[in-house]
Structures are given as C-alpha cells and as structure tokens.
C-alpha cells in the first residue's frame, strides 16, 4: 500500500546537515519510506496524496531517558537538594504505582501527551512494579509510542520504593513473561549502582546475555553520586566498571547524564558502543552540572537526548532541544568550543534516537516513517518571506502540541 | 462597585515570601484590592461572587524589557553572532514597521498573546516609527496591557533602521503629542549609547527633565559592547556615565541586562534608583553571559525581569521566570551563592514590575488588581493531595496560555 505525504519536508540526514524539499513528496510503501521527491514520479501518479499544503513535515522526536512514574510530580520540588527531592517526592510518588488503576490513568495521559508533543520513540524507566510497568507498555503501544520500557530494579538504598533481591529478580522474570507488545519492548533497568546489590547486578547481567536484552541506567550524574559509588565499590577504578563487571556495559547500553564522565570513562563508552543520554533540563534543575556534549561527539560517542522528567521539567522534546542548545551555549561561553546549532541539536533529539532503534537518520529510505507535521499558522507573521531553514529553526523554538497537526509513528498516523 | 473573586489565592507580598489563602476571597472595590479574606466579611455578604472553585488566583506578570517590532522574528537567527543577527534580522525586521498596516496586524496579535500568557504590565521598545509606535500603544490599550512604550531613538550605527538627529527629535515630539492613552504611557528610549549621538542624547535628557518622562535603554550587555562604548566615549569612566552625563540616569530609569556592570556601576544604579532588568533567555541565546542577580539584590538594587524578545525566544513570562531560575542555578553551581527559588523568581516576574509602576507587591490592598487565574485540570494527576505552595510551584513550571483561564488588568477582566 502506497501513502504519499505532501508538504514542506525538512530533515537532518546526518549530524549538522539540514535538507529541505519545498512542497515535496514523501512516499511510503506499507508505512516504510520509499523516497523523498521534489516532483512526484509518474509511477505514483494514481496514488492518493495527503496534502499538508504549506505545513512543515519533520522527523518526530525520540526521548531516550525519562521516568514514567515521575510524570505526576512534573515541575515540583525543584528548589530542593537532590537527596531531599528523592525522599520527599520521587520515591513516594513511584510507590503510588502499586495501584494499577492510578497507573492506568497516569500512563494513559502520559502516552497521549507524548504523541501530542511529537515524541514517537522512547526509552523509559518505569517503577519497580511489574503490573504497572505492563500497563505502561500497553498504554504506549495503544497511543503509538514505540521503543523500550524497563521495570526498575532497586534492592538497596531506595527508601519506601525498595524491593528485596529475590523479589526484584522474580518480578523481573514475571515482567519479561508479560512483555508481548509489538512496538514496545523490554529493557533491563538497574536504577543505578547505589540502588542495586552485587547479587542483583550479577543476575541482571546474566539475563542480559542469556536473553540478549538491552540495558539502561544512570552514570556520573553528580559529584556526590560518583563519590558514593567509589565508596560502595572500592574494587572498581571508575563508576562505569560497576556496570561492566556484571556484563551490563555492552553495545546499545544507555547511560543517562554522564556529566562527570572523564576522558577514560568516555573512551570506555566509545569502545563498548555505550550511548550517553544528555538530559540538559534535569542537569540544571537539580544543579548536577553540564555534560560536555560537543566533546563527546568529537570523541565519537553516540549521544541522544532525554527529557528526564521529572528532574527535567519539560516533557515536550522541542523544549528539550532548545534547553540543550542553551546549555551548550553556557558551556561555549566558558570553554570557547562551538555550541550546538539548531540543526545539530534537532538531530540529537530525533535522528540520533532513531539510529539507536535501528531506524534511519532523517527520512532515510527503507525505514518506517516517524514524523510530525507542524502548522505555523499561530506563529507571528514574519517581516518577509522566510526560507525553509528559517521556518525550521523557528518551529523548533516555537512549536508546542497545539501547533503539531499530525504525527506518524512506525508508518502509521497516530495524531 | 464591589467585585469578589473566590479561589485558591497565592501571592508573594515581599521578596522570597509566599502567602496562600485556600478557597479565599479577593475583594475589589472599583477594581482596587480592598482585602484578602479566608472568610467573606459580613459587609460583603450581598455582593456577587465570581467563583473560580479549585483554580489558582495569582498576580499577573510584568515584562519590563521587550522589543515589540522583533515579535515577527521570534525564534530565528539564534545561531548567529550578535552583530550578524542584528544586521540579518533585527534592523530589517524593524524597518518593516514603516508599513502601518503590517504594524497593526503584528501588534494586535502581540497584544493578544501578552494577555493570553498573563502579562498585564510592560515596558516596551517600539521601532523608530512614530505611527507604528502609536498603533502599538493603541493595540496594547485595547487588549488591556498597561505600562510604558517608547519610540526608539537611533541616529548612528544602526544600518537600515537609522534616522537623522533632526528627524529623531522631531518624530519624538510628534509621538509624545500623539500619546493620549489611559493605561499606556510614553517612555524615552535611546536604543543604547552606540546608537545615539551626543546631540540626540542631550536633547532626550532635556525632554526627560522638562516633561518628567521616564527613560529606558540597554547597559553592559556584552563585553564587545562595553569596549565599543569606551571607545566612543573616552570622556566617561564607565558605560553608565554616558547616560548620566545627559540626565538620563535617574530614579526609575530601566536598564536592560547589566551583565557586565561591575560593583561600581551597580552602586551607581543603587544610588540613583535605576532598575536592572534581567533578561535570562536572551543573555544565553545571544551568548552574552549571565547577570549576577543574587548579588544585585543583596546590594539593594531593584531588579525585575524581561522576556527581551526576540533575543529571548519566549514571550511567555512563566517561561522567563523558569529560565531565570535555571540561569541562577548555573551561576550557583559556579559561585556557590544560593539560586533563585521559585517564589523569589516569581516575585521578580510579577511584584517587582508592579512596584516599578507604583502598584502593590502581590495582592496588596489599595492597588488596582493585576491577576491571572490558573486552571490545573490539564496538569498530570498528582500522587497525593498537594499543598497550595506545591501547586504554585507546579503552575509556574507548567502553565501556558491554555491553562490561564482568566486575566485581570488594572482592575478589569481582560481574558
């Protein structure tokens, strides 16, 4: 089945490159991108066209680090130091997800909000609750969000949210059993080293190898955390080795933050094919610091962006892209290294995550379509005719869910 | 005439202080706040009540620095260095406002957007055009925005937007002649020292004294600008003296940015009663730096916030408040001084500007009401019942025009 979208097509086929096709045609065959055309090839002449007119057709966002059960506490406790914030808000809020009715309501609204904001790919932390995690996956699947979700493992130092080692392993197996979704797959999720005993880490590493499962966690987010991990694991020279020693440091492992990952830790990431997920809003809100994204990219690391709600205060990835630019400008003012341009940051918020999941960069042929259509009619009237590159930049800064007119995920229209 | 608003009333009666009145009553007499009550006093028992139920009633925002004719270029050119940005976008966009039809359309939509986002007080730069400036004032007045607007003066170093000295003075007089609005008043607006000849500055200083007019301009925004001013005015020890020598440095003068104002310049501000307008988003977008707001406040300076569109990318003052908090957190991570808390930053975005215009801080009795009503029904369902202080914080982070249900300006309902 052929589907044809017409509109002003804009995408980033590689890092830093912006390509525009004014009034172009995006041809899908069974939801898979067949090509981008300035003129519609004759062989498609008889196929129906979904004409978006003057609107912009852009790749949709990928949010590679966020905590679903922290959605209810978005924008709260931001004046507290990290440990007080965790105890006053995070662990108590996550504990509420023992209630499956509550989980259903919250996760349904989270999934809808993601699609409304143009996010079609995620790698998400759930809570420790198996049933709520399966509900989360079901709600994402239903709304059209694709990607990974992990039941969180945490058998030490985790307040009211803690589980026993035995329970953590048993529930992980029960959860994996229940994962039968087409577009939402499981990812092993030790919360972070301080939350997981050696026995639990070893078992998760065994599972990762045995079932070929991906892994996500946190790495070097704050100086306090780095010091704590050193104390807990005197046998490891660096934080990352606490994951590596149990087989959790492997190609495709997602590590959120990496603010304090030094050159040696970063080179261990590059060598292993571990990804750094940059969470700019969260890092400033919690006063963690700022990750050296430009340097990571120059060293050949794979980097993508995460909203990290509710350390981050914005679920909308367009705003996360803007905050990433602003964070890199703050860093540029200090170091003199170039800041992230709009096309570069947009690439990190869209194409990078797509590449992580085996999709294409931009609208590369051969991959199911992930896209959003932006309606600029509520934006201010410009002083002259704008180029598509200018309209792209403006859309990144000004878009919100009210200006996202349509969303496609895995080849299907979901908004 | 008595008007009574009922709802969850939250305000900051002084810097850093948050006061909440659950299900309280805000009583207005002829639009002026008569009092805040937990229980409605008997003498008002017969008066009609506008019941906002569970909604939050907050003071509305004051945006003390923004460029109206840059609204059309919001979110564009942000990857360019300042001088290229000015030449490629700013001056050309401002030049378009010679067209009064265009000005009418843009300014009507700007005024509507300000009210929709809860901004009821402004101090605004227009362009150099007299007619467009009067149209701007008329559209603000019609929409319910109050405060100051200035025809910009610029007779040197200003590319296509430049006027002659004679023209600048003549048009300023014609503009002042045309200013007959109830809630929108004129403010003298030399763009900044590099844009204004000595003759023009002297004439504006004379007008400021003769007609008792307030003054606004820019100060010490970037290091390049500070060096340029030093070159242009070897007779002045510091940037601020280029304004002071012409009588433009006086109580109530608004100076945007002050990023590089050192202790001596800041003490000259405190002594003269000159206000510093902090524009956090603009300062990071243009890579200017970050103003030491905490230090300014400790030194007794008057500080308020500005969106500074289109250096700033957000017209919504709620987002400007959040960006100010994030900027202060970045600074706190470097210096160790305390960051701006949510109530502190909200005070700077609301009460400080109100005080500038002679209004009350928070809902102080005796002043016409400036308020907005926030509907939280689209916010995520919380994990437990929230305190009003928590709901306040969440509203600051999450509100947008769709959640602002009502707006009052100068005692009248305008949304």
């Amino acid at each position: 089945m052929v589907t044809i979208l017409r509109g002003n097509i804009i995408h980033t086929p590689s890092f830093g490159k912006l390509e525009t096709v004014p009034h172009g045609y995006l041809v899908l065959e069974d939801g898979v991108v067949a090509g981008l055309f300035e003129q519609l090839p004759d062989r498609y002449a008889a196929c129906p066209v979904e004409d978006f007119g003057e609107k912009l057709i852009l790749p949709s966002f990928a949010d590679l680090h966020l905590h679903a059960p922290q959605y209810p506490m978005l924008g709260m406790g931001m004046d507290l130091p990290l440990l007080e914030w965790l105890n006053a808000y995070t662990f108590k809020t996550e504990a509420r997800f023992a209630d499956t009715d509550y989980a259903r309501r919250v996760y349904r609204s989270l999934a809808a909000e993601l699609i409304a904001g143009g996010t079609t790919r995620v790698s998400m932390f759930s809570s420790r609750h198996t049933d709520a995690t399966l509900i989360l996956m079901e709600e994402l699947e239903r709304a059209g969000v694709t990607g990974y979700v992990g039941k969180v493992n945490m058998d030490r130092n985790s307040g009211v949210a803690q589980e026993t080692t035995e329970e953590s392993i048993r529930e992980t197996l029960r959860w994996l059993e229940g994962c039968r979704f087409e577009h939402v797959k499981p990812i092993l999720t030790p919360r972070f080293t301080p939350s997981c005993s050696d026995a639990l880490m070893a078992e998760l590493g065994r599972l990762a190898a045995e079932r070929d499962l991906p892994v996500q966690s946190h790495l070097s987010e704050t100086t306090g955390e780095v010091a704590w991990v050193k104390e807990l694991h005197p046998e490891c020279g660096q934080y990352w080795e606490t994951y590596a020693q149990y087989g959790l440091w492997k190609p495709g492992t997602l590590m959120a933050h990496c603010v304090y990952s030094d050159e040696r830790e970063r080179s261990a990431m590059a060598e292993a094919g571990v990804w750094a997920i940059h969470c700019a809003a969260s890092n400033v809100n919690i006063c963690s610091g700022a990750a050296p994204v430009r340097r990571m990219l120059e060293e050949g690391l794979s980097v993508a962006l995460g909203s990290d709600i509710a350390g981050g205060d914005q679920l909308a990835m367009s705003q996360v892209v803007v905050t990433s630019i602003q964070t890199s400008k703050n860093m540029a003012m200090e170091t003199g290294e170039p800041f992230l341009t709009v096309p570069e940051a947009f690439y990190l918020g869209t194409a990078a995550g797509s590449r992580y999941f085996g999709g294409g960069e931009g609208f590369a042929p051969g991959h199911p379509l992930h896209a959003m259509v932006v309606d600029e009619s509520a934006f201010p009237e410009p002083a002259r005719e704008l180029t598509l590159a200018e309209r792209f930049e403006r859309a990144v800064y000004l878009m919100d869910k009210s200006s996202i007119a349509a969303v496609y995920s895995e080849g299907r229209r979901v908004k």
Side-chain angles (χ1 to χ4, degrees), chain A residues 366-378:
Chain A
H367 301 280
L369 182 69
H370 284 255
M372 59 190 168
V373 178
V374 176
D375 180 354
E376 303 159 282
S377 56

Side-chain angles (χ1 to χ4, degrees), chain A residues 332-366:
Chain A
M333 284 190 260
E334 260 179 61
T335 64
E337 66 191 11
F339 56 75
L340 293 173
T341 64
V342 180
E344 285 176 343
F346 186 77
Y347 175 96
L348 296 180
T350 57
S354 171
R355 187 166 73 79
Y356 176 76
F357 287 109
E361 294 165 288
F363 295 128

Side-chain angles (χ1 to χ4, degrees), chain A residues 387-400:
Chain A
T387 65
L388 280 187
E390 289 173 317
R391 290 167 64 181
F392 161 73
E393 185 183 0
R394 184 174 68 152
V396 171
Y397 277 95
L398 302 190
M399 77 165 82
D400 62 16

Side-chain angles (χ1 to χ4, degrees), chain A residues 82 220-225 257-260 279-291 308 311:
Chain A
L82 179 60
S220 300
E221 179 177 2
T222 67
T223 48
E225 171 204 7
H257 305 303
C258 310
V259 172
Y260 296 99
C279 305
S282 166
N283 292 344
V284 60
N285 287 339
I286 299 179
C287 289
S288 306
D308 192 24

